[in-house]
Amino acid sequence: DIQMTQSPSSLSASVGDRVTITCQASQDISNYLNWYQQKPGKAPKLLIYDASNLEIGVPSRFSGSGSGTDFTFTISSLQPEDIATYYCQQYDNLRTFGQGTKVEIK
Amino acid sequence: QVQLVQSGAEMKNPGASVKVSCKASGYTFTSFGVSWVRQAPGQGLEWMGWISAYNGNTNYAQKLQGRVTMTTDTSTSTAYMELRSLRSDDTAVYYCARDRGGYCTGGSCPGWFDSWGQGTLVIVSS
């Protein structure tokens, strides 16, 4: 099984800050990596697919990069509505989620 | 618009089975897969398995092999997930999601979830 390790598990930042989350795969997964946002009590929402492609309708302050085993998710300017937990997910071999990163406002 | 509507909350005794439904609308059901994802209280997302709505092929997470069965009814565009021999640690919100992998689950096939059901709470308790 492919393991996905996200860091940090939580972070606190100010409105307007640049926020970066990393996701590391236990083996090479090419660019087969997606990112989701989940707000409390809601279903997850797809933000980024194939490591760097923005889903239609998602604000451009969200971005993703990386390939192989190391991936990065960035919010260029944190907004109050971005408070959520973010998950990476690989699909090179079946599907696996990272453990999540909870983003809070400082 | 794409919509996935799941069945209502369930409370089950340990050792029982539960079957959750997921009715799709707004797209060609057989052109996509359906993945099931669960989330225990306060925990992260756990992928449970995938079914092709095109041909019924399935892939399950190893830890659930033998206890889970996923099926589809193409006449009603509905996917089902049955989990047997329920334990207290199966208590979770269960989500269905439209999986862009309609025919396969290898890396060369799309593998993201672009639409989700509202979730079904399953509580396992005596």
Side-chain angles (χ1 to χ4, degrees):
Chain A
D1 286 10
I2 299 175
Q3 309 303 318
M4 306 301 296
T5 303
Q6 271 184 251
S7 60
S9 56
S10 65
L11 65 88
S12 181
S14 300
V15 172
D17 281 356
R18 184 180 186 87
V19 168
T20 299
I21 298 168
T22 64
C23 183
Q24 186 169 58
S26 59
Q27 64 189 66
D28 187 337
I29 59 169
S30 185
N31 67 327
Y32 304 139
L33 191 283
N34 311 312
W35 291 95
Y36 300 85
Q37 175 192 67
Q38 186 181 33
K39 297 183 178 181
K42 300 294 188 181
K45 174 187 175 183
L46 177 68
L47 300 180
I48 304 281
Y49 64 94
D50 277 352
S52 61
N53 292 307
L54 198 66
E55 174 71 341
I56 294 171
V58 173
S60 59
R61 64 180 180 275
F62 296 102
S63 65
S65 64
S67 68
T69 60
D70 296 305
F71 301 86
T72 300
F73 172 80
T74 301
I75 307 173
S76 61
S77 177
L78 186 68
Q79 300 302 303
E81 61 267 31
D82 300 336
I83 300 313
T85 301
Y86 294 84
Y87 294 92
C88 62
Q89 173 247 321
Q90 68 81 23
Y91 64 96
D92 180 61
N93 182 10
L94 301 182
R95 286 91 169 91
T96 314
F97 287 96
Q99 78 274 24
T101 297
K102 187 174 184 179
V103 174
E104 298 173 319
I105 294 285
K106 191 181 294 182
Chain B
Q1 74 284 18
V2 175
Q3 200 170 10
L4 299 172
V5 179
Q6 298 182 223
S7 49
E10 304 259 15
M11 181 168 282
K12 296 290 184 180
N13 290 322
S17 299
V18 68
K19 191 169 187 177
V20 180
S21 67
C22 170
K23 183 169 177 61
S25 61
Y27 70 97
T28 302
F29 184 65
T30 52
S31 294
F32 296 84
V34 176
S35 271
W36 290 86
V37 175
R38 69 179 179 177
Q39 186 169 38
Q43 302 302 307
L45 302 172
E46 178 185 13
W47 179 77
M48 300 177 66
W50 163 92
I51 182 166
S52 167
Y54 172 71
N55 58 18
N57 286 352
T58 55
N59 284 120
Y60 301 134
Q62 189 170 8
K63 69 174 286 189
L64 295 173
Q65 288 272 5
R67 284 208 302 140
V68 68
T69 301
M70 295 175 187
T71 57
T72 59
D73 180 345
T74 56
S75 68
T76 60
S77 299
T78 303
Y80 299 92
M81 185 284 299
E82 182 180 34
L83 188 61
R84 300 176 292 279
S85 302
L86 288 168
R87 309 187 290 246
S88 58
D89 62 355
D90 291 318
T91 294
V93 175
Y94 288 75
Y95 294 101
C96 63
R98 189 175 79 164
D99 191 313
R100 292 303 294 255
Y103 313 106
C104 52
T105 55
S108 57
C109 304
W112 52 93
F113 314 135
D114 61 358
S115 188
W116 294 68
Q118 82 276 18
T120 296
L121 175 62
V122 175
I123 296 174
V124 183
S125 175
S126 55

